[in-house]
Amino acid sequence: PADKPRYLMGVGKPDDLVKAADFYAQAIAAGGAPEEAWRGLGLAKLRSGQQAEGQKALGEYLKIKPDAKDRAMIAMLSGVKK
C-alpha cells in the first residue's frame, strides 16, 4: 500500500554506506551514542569493503555490550570468539 513504509534491501548508492559509516563515527566521537552505533559502524564498514575497520568496530560493540542478543552473528562477522 502507498501509505505504508517499505523496506528496500540493497537499494541505494555505494557512497551511502560510506556516509552512514561517517555518521556513526561522528555520533560515537561526540559521546553518549548507544552501543548499537558501534554495530552500525562495523556493519557499514564491512559492507563498504573495509573489513579490518568493520571487524574492529564490531569487536568494540561486543566489548561494551557483552550480552547483546545478536552476539553470535556479530562475533562471527567480527572474528571474535563467542
Side-chain angles (χ1 to χ4, degrees):
D3 62 334
K4 301 285 182 180
R6 297 178 189 202
Y7 177 69
L8 302 172
M9 184 172 171
V11 174
K13 302 172 193 165
D15 189 45
D16 291 344
L17 291 169
V18 174
K19 290 178 184 175
D22 287 344
F23 288 134
Y24 282 118
Q26 288 174 19
I28 291 166
E35 297 90 354
E36 290 79 5
W38 286 97
R39 181 185 62 204
L41 175 62
L43 294 173
K45 293 275 189 183
L46 286 178
R47 296 221 32 224
S48 65
Q50 299 175 32
Q51 186 170 352
E53 294 91 344
Q55 288 179 322
K56 182 178 177 183
L58 292 176
E60 187 63 29
Y61 166 65
L62 293 177
K63 279 186 207 171
I64 59 177
K65 192 166 185 175
D67 59 342
K69 292 183 180 184
D70 57 355
R71 182 173 183 77
M73 180 193 72
I74 298 298
M76 180 196 68
L77 291 171
S78 69
V80 170
K81 301 211 185 226
K82 293 181 190 179

